């Protein structure tokens, strides 16, 4: 019983670790492949309420990955 509990906790820890690594890798890709002026312009659009943060992030990730239609 306790062994199963410990295995489950370890699995959850590993899932969190992989998720954090993927988030960092995606952010690094955007920083490397999307020019700073474009990223700044997107932030301005969000501030002006011209685009929502989720759509903006999706668009930047599309640009970074070079894909046309990305649906998370």
């Amino acid at each position: 019983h306790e062994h199963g509990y410990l295995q489950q906790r370890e699995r959850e820890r590993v899932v969190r670790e992989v998720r954090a690594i993927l988030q960092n890798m995606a952010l690094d890709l955007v920083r490397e492949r999307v020019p700073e002026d474009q990223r700044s312009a997107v932030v301005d659009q969000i501030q002006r309420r011209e685009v929502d943060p989720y759509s903006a992030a999706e668009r930047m990730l599309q640009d970074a990955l070079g894909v046309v239609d990305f649906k998370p």
Side-chain angles (χ1 to χ4, degrees), residues 11-25:
R11 180 175 181 78
E12 291 168 2
R13 185 196 63 75
V14 169
V15 166
R16 283 192 308 273
E17 182 179 15
V18 170
R19 184 177 295 139
I21 291 167
L22 285 168
Q23 288 171 334
N24 288 333
M25 291 174 80

Side-chain angles (χ1 to χ4, degrees), residues 5 14 26-27 33-34 42 69:
Y5 173 75
V14 169
L27 187 55
R33 297 183 180 180
V34 179
V42 169
D69 190 23

